[in-house]
Amino acid sequence: QVQLVESGGGLVQAGGSLKLSCVVSGRTFGIYRMGWFRQSPGKEREFVAAITSTVGATYYADSVKGRFTISGDDAKNTMYLQMNGLKPDDTAVYYCARKNGLGDYYDHNTYDQWGQGTQVTVSS
């Protein structure tokens, strides 16, 4: 059983930066994938970024490529999302998630462990 807890959200002006953290508790086995998703009012949850354990491959939504960076720190059991050049359209609740094995990294329906979310608000 794995538990995920996000933090680091807040209010920032357009063009600013935030770094989100996701603390992972519990044991994980084999190959797994961690991802960040976001959801704003009236919209479906959308993929932001993902990273695959052991392989280290990373994936990004086109809307955040070149601005966001996903990473992990095994010693701290924490995954990060560094967000630079933030835009008002980035405003959303951001969630971290985990799934076993490989597969569609962009599909939130395939992830089975979720955090509670952290609010990111970007003002213009």
Side-chain angles (χ1 to χ4, degrees):
Q1 186 174 6
V2 177
Q3 185 177 28
L4 310 176
V5 180
E6 306 97 333
S7 64
L11 175 65
V12 65
Q13 292 184 334
S17 299
L18 284 174
K19 188 173 185 178
L20 306 183
S21 299
C22 176
V23 178
V24 182
S25 62
R27 301 287 294 180
T28 59
F29 301 92
I31 298 176
Y32 63 94
R33 180 168 288 154
M34 297 286 294
W36 288 97
F37 292 80
R38 66 188 183 187
Q39 187 168 20
S40 57
K43 295 184 178 181
E44 294 291 324
R45 188 165 298 186
E46 66 173 335
F47 167 75
V48 176
I51 186 168
T52 302
S53 68
T54 71
V55 178
T58 57
Y59 311 88
Y60 297 93
D62 289 340
S63 61
V64 305
K65 285 182 178 178
R67 299 189 297 121
F68 292 10
T69 302
I70 188 171
S71 63
D73 187 336
D74 289 340
K76 297 181 179 180
N77 298 313
T78 304
M79 179 180 65
Y80 303 98
L81 183 68
Q82 177 66 52
M83 305 184 294
N84 300 322
L86 285 164
K87 306 174 181 179
D89 286 347
D90 295 319
T91 296
V93 176
Y94 284 70
Y95 300 88
C96 64
R98 187 197 69 84
K99 66 185 294 184
N100 289 322
L102 302 178
D104 296 335
Y105 59 84
Y106 52 83
D107 187 356
H108 69 270
N109 291 312
T110 65
Y111 289 74
D112 49 23
Q113 299 289 333
W114 292 85
Q116 296 301 119
T118 184
Q119 176 71 49
V120 172
T121 302
V122 184
S123 63
S124 59

